[in-house]
């Protein structure tokens, strides 16, 4: 038998913190879920019921373009992508006709999540898709998170919170730039920004906790998203627990969102996207796909892997490592999968989670490795070339890496290649500030 979730309350110096201990193999399943777990529903119906909750995005819909690759006879030598030309086909046939009609020459698909919102787009919007309703349903008043000076995540949190009447507190690594631009400017306009020395930022969890308690004050409550998710789901999908209801009596309810929204609840929005893309009129459930994603924290790639397994899809997820070593990404994958199973076994059932173990994502190095955040000479020009030929704007730090790999696989693989455009194009403004010489385009 399964035991109920236990909650332990502690009173630190500033505010209160809620922690939970959740045991997968103890307690009884919530009312209304027993029949679902016992039934022989197809996997997609299990996942549909599991994803029946509030979302920030009205619809998971997104545009899909097909990029055709051809050699550019006018280009001699130079960088690899400089020898190729790209043609964008936004009016393509999908579904049953996808392979027969669209694979006449080397190509790959682009999931245009960069078009979801002018400021909150790409994987940032997907990761906040389930997080934001979770905060609203729990009467959260303030959100604390962190990121680099030009963090797209921090800006997305600031904008999304402001749109919903929440206050955001953003801890940005390093010093304030002389001129505010790009995501840094957006974060400052929409949120409350504090610049943090790199030595302090290296201890992120401690830094976030201290600042959250400072915001909460003596009478407020501080909690993590994992605590909140476990609290809500321990009493049934979409229902409030007495612990959550008690939060409304506090003057400040402060939620901590990890760097890059690397939280378990952030995986749900990505799983929702996978379910959408697997519809019969799009990529379907039987077509073999190679999914290409640029990896910052790696959360989006892991979410894609989890979604593919839960839906039984023959999709292989490949993530280009940008900010950590392969060991670091593998540990992150293991942690996210473990936490996902810990929180959601009651809703999917253990049989649905079979196969959810490290190794869902194929982590690969970037073709031209460099320190995270740096760009190489010629990459801005490549982004300009792609923008002019396809109307799709990439950035040299993140999405160009995924485009490079998708281009390579699109010429080599028999399976269909799909690149997720993770957004981040406002980062170009910050890069133009740092790398002025690279942006001197005549």
């Amino acid at each position: 038998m399964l035991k109920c979730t236990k909650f332990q309350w502690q009173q630190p110096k500033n505010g209160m913190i809620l922690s939970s201990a959740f045991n997968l193999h103890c307690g009884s399943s919530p009312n209304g879920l027993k029949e679902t777990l016992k039934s022989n529903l197809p996997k997609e119906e299990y996942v549909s019921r599991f994803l029946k909750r509030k979302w920030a995005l009205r619809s998971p819909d997104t545009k899909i373009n097909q990029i055709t690759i051809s050699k550019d006879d006018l280009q001699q030598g130079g960088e690899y992508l400089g020898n190729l030309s790209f043609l964008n086909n936004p009016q393509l046939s999908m579904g049953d006709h996808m392979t027969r009609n669209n694979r006449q020459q080397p190509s790959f698909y682009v999931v245009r999540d960069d078009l979801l919102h002018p400021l909150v787009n790409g994987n940032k919007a997907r990761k906040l898709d389930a997080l934001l309703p979770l905060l609203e349903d729990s009467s959260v008043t303030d959100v604390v998170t962190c990121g680099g000076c030009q963090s797209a995540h921090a800006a997305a949190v600031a904008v999304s919170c402001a749109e919903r009447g929440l206050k955001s507190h953003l801890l940005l690594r390093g010093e304030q730039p002389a001129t505010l631009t790009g995501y840094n400017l957006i974060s400052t306009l929409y949120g409350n920004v504090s610049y943090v020395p790199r030595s302090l930022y290296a201890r992120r969890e401690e830094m976030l906790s201290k600042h959250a308690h400072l915001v909460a004050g003596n009478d407020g409550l501080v909690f993590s998203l994992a605590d909140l998710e476990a609290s809500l789901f321990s009493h049934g999908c979409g229902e409030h627990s007495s612990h959550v209801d008690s939060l409304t009596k506090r003057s400040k309810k402060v939620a901590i969102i990890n760097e890059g929204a690397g939280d378990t609840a952030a995986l749900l929005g990505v799983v929702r996207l996978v379910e959408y893309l697997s519809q019969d009129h799009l990529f379907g459930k039987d077509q073999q796909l190679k999914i290409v994603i640029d990896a910052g924290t790696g959360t989006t790639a892991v979410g894609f892997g989890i979604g593919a397994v839960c839906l039984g899809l023959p999709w292989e997820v490949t993530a280009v490592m940008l900010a950590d070593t392969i060991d670091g990404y593998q540990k992150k994958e293991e942690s996210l999968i473990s936490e996902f199973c810990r929180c959601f076994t009651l809703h999917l059932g253990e049989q649905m989670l079979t196969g959810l173990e490290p190794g869902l994502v194929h982590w690969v190095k970037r073709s031209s490795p460099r320190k995270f955040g740096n760009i190489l000479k010629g990459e801005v020009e490549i982004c300009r070339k792609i923008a002019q030929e396809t109307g799709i704007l990439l950035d040299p730090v993140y999405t160009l890496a995924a485009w490079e790999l998708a281009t390579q696989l699109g010429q080599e693989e028999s399976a269909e290649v799909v690149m997720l455009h993770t957004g981040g194009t406002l980062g170009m403004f910050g890069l133009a500030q740092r790398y002025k010489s690279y942006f001197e385009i005549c």
Side-chain angles (χ1 to χ4, degrees):
M1 294 289 295
L2 292 170
K3 291 181 192 171
C4 294
T5 305
K6 297 180 181 177
F7 291 88
Q8 299 173 340
W9 295 81
Q10 299 176 354
Q11 175 75 54
K13 186 174 182 180
N14 290 312
M16 298 182 68
I17 186 164
L18 171 65
S19 64
S20 64
F22 192 90
N23 192 329
L24 292 177
H25 303 292
C26 46
S28 57
S29 59
N31 293 334
L33 290 176
K34 291 182 179 179
E35 294 305 315
T36 301
L37 297 178
K38 290 179 181 178
S39 66
N40 294 317
L41 291 174
K43 284 194 169 188
E44 54 266 26
E45 291 191 38
Y46 267 112
V47 175
S48 293
R49 292 192 179 194
F50 167 64
L51 294 179
K52 191 175 182 180
R53 56 184 294 155
K54 294 181 181 178
W55 300 99
L57 296 172
R58 291 184 179 181
S59 167
D61 294 11
T62 187
K63 293 183 180 298
I64 302 174
N65 293 169
Q66 184 189 26
I67 306 300
T68 301
I69 308 166
S70 60
K71 291 188 177 181
D72 191 342
D73 296 332
L74 298 178
Q75 293 287 340
Q76 300 293 329
E79 296 294 329
Y80 168 66
L81 293 183
N83 295 327
L84 301 174
S85 291
F86 302 96
L87 178 64
N88 184 8
N89 176 16
Q91 305 295 329
L92 65 157
S93 298
M94 301 290 288
D96 294 337
H97 304 287
M98 184 177 66
T99 303
R100 183 170 67 253
N101 294 340
N102 298 334
R103 191 71 174 179
Q104 297 176 355
Q105 63 185 98
S107 65
F108 61 92
Y109 296 90
V110 180
V111 176
R112 298 297 307 278
D113 269 9
D114 55 312
L115 303 178
L116 292 177
H117 185 286
L119 300 176
V120 186
N121 55 37
N123 63 342
K124 305 301 180 288
R126 295 296 179 183
K127 290 192 283 187
L128 293 175
D129 198 10
L131 284 181
L132 294 171
L134 194 61
L135 301 178
E136 291 178 304
D137 285 349
S138 303
S139 301
V140 165
T141 60
D142 297 75
V143 173
V144 175
T145 192
C146 65
C149 186
Q150 286 289 346
S151 170
H153 158 71
V157 169
V159 172
S160 299
C161 284
E163 290 177 344
R164 289 160 176 79
L166 307 178
K167 293 182 179 179
S168 63
H169 307 267
L170 316 172
L171 305 179
L172 302 185
R173 181 182 63 248
E175 302 76 30
Q176 177 178 329
T179 303
L180 303 184
T181 185
Y183 288 114
N184 182 255
L185 174 59
I186 297 301
S187 295
T188 304
L189 291 174
Y190 284 85
N192 300 289
V193 170
S194 299
Y195 294 91
V196 180
R198 288 169 173 78
S199 58
L200 178 61
Y201 194 92
R203 303 187 299 276
R204 291 167 181 74
E205 291 185 7
E206 178 184 344
M207 173 192 72
L208 287 169
S209 179
K210 285 184 176 180
H211 197 79
H213 285 104
L214 182 64
V215 172
N218 293 327
D219 298 326
L221 182 70
V222 173
F223 52 88
S224 70
L225 291 175
D227 294 326
L228 183 56
E229 189 75 37
S231 175
L232 289 175
F233 274 80
S234 65
H235 286 72
C237 187
E239 298 180 10
H240 288 277
S241 72
S242 59
H243 298 289
V244 173
D245 290 335
S246 70
L247 302 183
T248 60
K249 300 177 181 179
R250 307 233 171 233
S251 59
K252 288 284 186 81
K253 280 78 65 177
V254 185
I256 297 174
I257 299 180
N258 288 323
E259 182 182 41
D263 301 272
T264 308
L267 297 169
L268 299 179
V270 183
V271 175
R272 187 190 186 201
L273 172 60
V274 172
E275 181 191 44
Y276 167 76
L277 294 175
S278 68
Q279 294 180 95
D280 292 339
H281 70 283
L282 297 176
F283 293 114
K285 299 174 180 62
D286 301 320
Q287 173 70 44
Q288 288 190 342
L289 300 181
K290 288 190 175 292
I291 309 295
V292 178
I293 303 172
D294 53 87
T297 64
T299 305
T300 305
V302 174
F304 250 87
I306 288 175
V309 168
C310 288
L311 287 164
L313 303 174
W315 296 6
E316 177 184 311
V317 181
T318 300
V320 187
M321 301 182 297
L322 303 179
D324 205 346
T325 63
I326 187 168
D327 183 59
Y329 278 111
Q330 288 173 341
K331 287 181 179 178
K332 180 67 173 180
E333 178 183 3
E334 181 179 1
S335 174
L336 285 171
I337 291 173
S338 175
E339 188 68 14
F340 182 88
C341 293
R342 184 177 75 88
C343 286
F344 303 124
T345 293
L346 288 177
H347 301 275
L348 286 174
E350 291 189 13
Q351 69 273 27
M352 283 292 296
L353 298 175
T354 302
L356 280 188
E357 55 188 27
L360 297 182
V361 180
H362 180 214
W363 305 99
V364 299
K365 293 181 179 180
R366 189 169 187 164
S367 58
S368 300
R370 82 291 303 275
K371 185 178 179 181
F372 179 67
N374 289 0
I375 64 176
L376 302 179
K377 186 177 180 179
E379 289 183 334
V380 173
E381 192 61 36
I382 291 296
C383 290
R384 177 174 179 246
K385 170 184 169 65
I386 293 170
Q388 291 179 347
E389 292 179 352
T390 68
I392 300 176
L393 184 59
L394 306 175
D395 77 281
V397 175
Y398 290 98
T399 48
L400 180 59
W403 187 282
E404 289 172 338
L405 182 58
T407 299
Q408 177 186 336
L409 295 177
Q411 297 177 92
E412 298 174 353
E413 299 287 345
S414 57
E416 300 294 341
V417 178
V418 180
M419 170 195 161
L420 175 66
H421 196 312
T422 56
T425 48
L426 277 182
M428 283 291 243
F429 294 89
L431 293 174
Q433 188 181 47
R434 291 177 55 200
Y435 298 93
K436 294 182 180 179
S437 63
Y438 290 176
F439 286 80
E440 293 175 353
I441 301 174
C442 299

